CSV table of all heavy atoms in Angstrom, one decimal:
chain,number,residue,atom,x,y,z
R,1297,HIS,N,-44.7,-10.4,19.7
R,1297,HIS,CA,-45.8,-9.6,20.3
R,1297,HIS,C,-46.1,-8.4,19.5
R,1297,HIS,O,-47.3,-8.0,19.4
R,1297,HIS,CB,-45.4,-9.3,21.8
R,1297,HIS,CG,-46.4,-8.3,22.5
R,1297,HIS,ND1,-47.7,-8.7,22.7
R,1297,HIS,CD2,-46.3,-7.1,22.9
R,1297,HIS,CE1,-48.3,-7.7,23.3
R,1297,HIS,NE2,-47.5,-6.7,23.5
R,1298,PHE,N,-45.1,-7.7,19.1
R,1298,PHE,CA,-45.3,-6.4,18.4
R,1298,PHE,C,-44.1,-6.0,17.5
R,1298,PHE,O,-43.0,-6.2,17.9
R,1298,PHE,CB,-45.7,-5.3,19.4
R,1298,PHE,CG,-46.4,-4.1,18.8
R,1298,PHE,CD1,-47.8,-4.1,18.8
R,1298,PHE,CD2,-45.7,-3.1,18.1
R,1298,PHE,CE1,-48.5,-3.1,18.2
R,1298,PHE,CE2,-46.5,-2.1,17.5
R,1298,PHE,CZ,-47.8,-2.1,17.5
R,1299,VAL,N,-44.4,-5.5,16.3
R,1299,VAL,CA,-43.4,-4.9,15.5
R,1299,VAL,C,-43.9,-3.6,15.0
R,1299,VAL,O,-45.2,-3.5,14.7
R,1299,VAL,CB,-43.0,-5.9,14.3
R,1299,VAL,CG1,-44.3,-6.2,13.4
R,1299,VAL,CG2,-41.9,-5.3,13.4
R,1300,GLY,N,-43.0,-2.7,14.9
R,1300,GLY,CA,-43.4,-1.3,14.4
R,1300,GLY,C,-42.3,-0.7,13.8
R,1300,GLY,O,-41.1,-0.7,14.2
R,1301,VAL,N,-42.6,0.0,12.6
R,1301,VAL,CA,-41.6,0.7,11.8
R,1301,VAL,C,-42.1,2.2,11.6
R,1301,VAL,O,-43.3,2.3,11.3
R,1301,VAL,CB,-41.3,0.1,10.4
R,1301,VAL,CG1,-40.3,0.9,9.6
R,1301,VAL,CG2,-40.7,-1.4,10.6
R,1305,TYR,N,-40.1,5.3,7.4
R,1305,TYR,CA,-39.1,4.4,7.1
R,1305,TYR,C,-39.7,3.0,6.6
R,1305,TYR,O,-39.0,2.0,6.5
R,1305,TYR,CB,-38.2,4.1,8.3
R,1305,TYR,CG,-37.3,5.3,8.7
R,1305,TYR,CD1,-37.8,6.3,9.5
R,1305,TYR,CD2,-36.0,5.3,8.3
R,1305,TYR,CE1,-37.0,7.3,10.0
R,1305,TYR,CE2,-35.2,6.4,8.7
R,1305,TYR,CZ,-35.7,7.4,9.5
R,1305,TYR,OH,-35.0,8.4,9.9
R,1306,ARG,N,-41.0,3.0,6.4
R,1306,ARG,CA,-41.6,1.7,5.9
R,1306,ARG,C,-41.2,1.4,4.5
R,1306,ARG,O,-40.8,2.3,3.7
R,1306,ARG,CB,-43.1,1.8,6.1
R,1306,ARG,CG,-43.4,1.8,7.6
R,1306,ARG,CD,-44.9,1.8,7.9
R,1306,ARG,NE,-45.2,2.0,9.3
R,1306,ARG,CZ,-46.3,2.4,9.8
R,1306,ARG,NH1,-47.4,2.6,9.1
R,1306,ARG,NH2,-46.3,2.5,11.2
R,1307,ALA,N,-41.4,0.1,4.1
R,1307,ALA,CA,-41.1,-0.3,2.7
R,1307,ALA,C,-39.7,-0.2,2.3
R,1307,ALA,O,-39.4,0.0,1.2
R,1307,ALA,CB,-42.1,0.4,1.7
R,1308,HIS,N,-38.8,-0.3,3.3
R,1308,HIS,CA,-37.4,-0.2,3.1
R,1308,HIS,C,-36.7,-1.4,3.6
R,1308,HIS,O,-35.4,-1.5,3.8
R,1308,HIS,CB,-36.7,1.0,3.7
R,1308,HIS,CG,-37.0,2.2,3.0
R,1308,HIS,ND1,-38.2,3.0,3.2
R,1308,HIS,CD2,-36.4,2.9,1.9
R,1308,HIS,CE1,-38.2,4.0,2.3
R,1308,HIS,NE2,-37.2,4.0,1.6
R,1309,GLY,N,-37.4,-2.5,4.0
R,1309,GLY,CA,-36.8,-3.7,4.4
R,1309,GLY,C,-36.5,-3.8,5.9
R,1309,GLY,O,-35.9,-4.8,6.4
R,1310,LEU,N,-36.9,-2.8,6.7
R,1310,LEU,CA,-36.5,-2.8,8.1
R,1310,LEU,C,-37.3,-3.9,8.9
R,1310,LEU,O,-36.8,-4.6,9.8
R,1310,LEU,CB,-36.7,-1.5,8.8
R,1310,LEU,CG,-35.8,-0.3,8.2
R,1310,LEU,CD1,-36.1,0.9,9.0
R,1310,LEU,CD2,-34.4,-0.8,8.2
R,1311,GLY,N,-38.6,-4.0,8.5
R,1311,GLY,CA,-39.5,-5.1,9.2
R,1311,GLY,C,-38.9,-6.4,8.9
R,1311,GLY,O,-38.8,-7.3,9.8
R,1312,ARG,N,-38.5,-6.7,7.6
R,1312,ARG,CA,-37.9,-8.0,7.3
R,1312,ARG,C,-36.6,-8.2,8.1
R,1312,ARG,O,-36.4,-9.3,8.6
R,1312,ARG,CB,-37.6,-8.0,5.7
R,1312,ARG,CG,-37.0,-9.3,5.3
R,1312,ARG,CD,-36.7,-9.3,3.8
R,1312,ARG,NE,-38.0,-9.4,3.0
R,1312,ARG,CZ,-38.5,-10.6,2.8
R,1312,ARG,NH1,-38.0,-11.7,3.2
R,1312,ARG,NH2,-39.6,-10.7,2.0
R,1334,THR,N,-52.7,-10.8,14.4
R,1334,THR,CA,-53.0,-9.5,14.0
R,1334,THR,C,-54.5,-9.3,13.9
R,1334,THR,O,-55.3,-10.3,13.8
R,1334,THR,CB,-52.2,-9.1,12.7
R,1334,THR,OG1,-52.0,-7.7,12.6
R,1334,THR,CG2,-52.9,-9.6,11.4
R,1338,ASN,N,-56.1,-5.1,9.8
R,1338,ASN,CA,-54.8,-4.6,9.5
R,1338,ASN,C,-54.2,-5.3,8.3
R,1338,ASN,O,-53.4,-6.1,8.3
R,1338,ASN,CB,-53.8,-4.9,10.7
R,1338,ASN,CG,-52.5,-4.1,10.6
R,1338,ASN,OD1,-52.1,-3.6,9.5
R,1338,ASN,ND2,-51.9,-4.0,11.7
R,1340,THR,N,-52.1,-4.2,6.0
R,1340,THR,CA,-50.7,-4.1,5.9
R,1340,THR,C,-49.9,-5.2,6.6
R,1340,THR,O,-49.1,-5.9,6.1
R,1340,THR,CB,-50.1,-2.7,6.4
R,1340,THR,OG1,-50.7,-1.7,5.7
R,1340,THR,CG2,-48.6,-2.6,6.3
R,1341,SER,N,-50.4,-5.4,7.8
R,1341,SER,CA,-49.8,-6.5,8.6
R,1341,SER,C,-50.0,-7.9,8.0
R,1341,SER,O,-49.1,-8.7,8.0
R,1341,SER,CB,-50.4,-6.5,10.0
R,1341,SER,OG,-49.8,-7.5,10.8
R,1343,ALA,N,-50.5,-8.5,4.8
R,1343,ALA,CA,-49.6,-8.6,3.6
R,1343,ALA,C,-48.1,-8.8,4.0
R,1343,ALA,O,-47.4,-9.6,3.4
R,1343,ALA,CB,-49.7,-7.3,2.8
R,1344,PHE,N,-47.7,-8.1,5.1
R,1344,PHE,CA,-46.2,-8.2,5.5
R,1344,PHE,C,-46.0,-9.6,6.0
R,1344,PHE,O,-45.0,-10.3,5.6
R,1344,PHE,CB,-46.0,-7.2,6.7
R,1344,PHE,CG,-44.7,-7.4,7.4
R,1344,PHE,CD1,-43.6,-7.0,6.8
R,1344,PHE,CD2,-44.7,-7.9,8.7
R,1344,PHE,CE1,-42.4,-7.2,7.4
R,1344,PHE,CE2,-43.6,-8.1,9.3
R,1344,PHE,CZ,-42.3,-7.7,8.7
R,1345,HIS,N,-46.9,-10.2,6.8
R,1345,HIS,CA,-46.6,-11.5,7.4
R,1345,HIS,C,-46.7,-12.6,6.3
R,1345,HIS,O,-45.9,-13.5,6.4
R,1345,HIS,CB,-47.6,-11.8,8.6
R,1345,HIS,CG,-47.3,-11.1,9.8
R,1345,HIS,ND1,-47.8,-9.8,10.2
R,1345,HIS,CD2,-46.3,-11.4,10.8
R,1345,HIS,CE1,-47.2,-9.5,11.3
R,1345,HIS,NE2,-46.3,-10.4,11.7
R,1347,ARG,N,-45.8,-12.2,3.2
R,1347,ARG,CA,-44.5,-12.0,2.5
R,1347,ARG,C,-43.4,-12.6,3.3
R,1347,ARG,O,-42.4,-13.1,2.8
R,1347,ARG,CB,-44.2,-10.6,2.1
R,1347,ARG,CG,-45.1,-9.9,1.2
R,1347,ARG,CD,-45.1,-10.6,-0.2
R,1347,ARG,NE,-43.9,-10.4,-0.9
R,1347,ARG,CZ,-43.6,-11.0,-2.0
R,1347,ARG,NH1,-44.5,-11.9,-2.6
R,1347,ARG,NH2,-42.4,-10.9,-2.6
R,1348,MET,N,-43.5,-12.6,4.6
R,1348,MET,CA,-42.5,-13.1,5.5
R,1348,MET,C,-42.6,-14.6,5.7
R,1348,MET,O,-41.8,-15.2,6.5
R,1348,MET,CB,-42.5,-12.5,6.9
R,1348,MET,CG,-42.2,-10.9,6.9
R,1348,MET,SD,-40.6,-10.6,6.2
R,1348,MET,CE,-39.5,-11.6,7.1
S,2390,COA,C1,-46.1,-4.1,9.2
S,2390,COA,C2,-44.8,-3.2,9.2
S,2390,COA,C3,-44.0,-3.6,10.5
S,2390,COA,C4,-43.9,-3.6,7.9
S,2390,COA,O1,-42.6,-3.0,8.1
S,2390,COA,P1,-41.7,-2.6,6.8
S,2390,COA,O2,-40.4,-2.2,7.2
S,2390,COA,O3,-42.5,-1.5,6.0
S,2390,COA,O4,-41.7,-3.9,5.9
S,2390,COA,P2,-40.6,-4.4,4.8
S,2390,COA,O5,-40.2,-3.1,4.0
S,2390,COA,O6,-39.5,-5.1,5.6
S,2390,COA,O7,-41.4,-5.4,3.9
S,2390,COA,C5,-41.2,-6.8,4.0
S,2390,COA,C6,-42.1,-7.4,3.0
S,2390,COA,O8,-43.5,-7.1,3.3
S,2390,COA,C7,-44.1,-6.5,2.2
S,2390,COA,N1,-45.0,-5.4,2.7
S,2390,COA,C8,-44.8,-4.5,3.6
S,2390,COA,N2,-45.8,-3.6,3.7
S,2390,COA,C9,-46.6,-4.0,2.8
S,2390,COA,C10,-48.0,-3.4,2.4
S,2390,COA,N3,-48.4,-2.4,2.9
S,2390,COA,N4,-48.6,-4.0,1.4
S,2390,COA,C11,-48.1,-5.1,0.8
S,2390,COA,N5,-46.8,-5.7,1.1
S,2390,COA,C12,-46.1,-5.1,2.1
S,2390,COA,C13,-43.0,-5.9,1.4
S,2390,COA,O9,-43.3,-5.8,0.0
S,2390,COA,C14,-41.9,-6.9,1.6
S,2390,COA,O10,-41.9,-8.0,0.7
S,2390,COA,P3,-40.7,-8.3,-0.3
S,2390,COA,O11,-39.5,-8.1,0.5
S,2390,COA,O12,-41.0,-9.8,-0.6
S,2390,COA,O13,-41.0,-7.4,-1.4
S,2390,COA,C15,-45.0,-1.7,9.1
S,2390,COA,O14,-45.9,-1.4,8.1
S,2390,COA,C16,-45.6,-1.2,10.4
S,2390,COA,O15,-44.9,-0.8,11.4
S,2390,COA,N6,-47.0,-1.1,10.5
S,2390,COA,C17,-47.7,-0.5,11.7
S,2390,COA,C18,-47.6,-1.4,12.9
S,2390,COA,C19,-48.2,-2.8,12.7
S,2390,COA,O16,-49.3,-2.9,12.0
S,2390,COA,N7,-47.5,-3.9,13.1
S,2390,COA,C20,-48.0,-5.2,12.9
S,2390,COA,C21,-49.0,-5.7,14.0
S,2390,COA,S1,-48.2,-6.3,15.4
Side-chain angles (χ1 to χ4, degrees):
H1297 175 63
F1298 204 90
V1299 60
V1301 176
Y1305 292 84
R1306 288 180 191 165
H1308 287 86
L1310 296 185
R1312 178 180 286 281
T1334 202
N1338 192 342
T1340 296
S1341 176
F1344 170 74
H1345 284 97
R1347 294 298 293 173
M1348 292 307 301

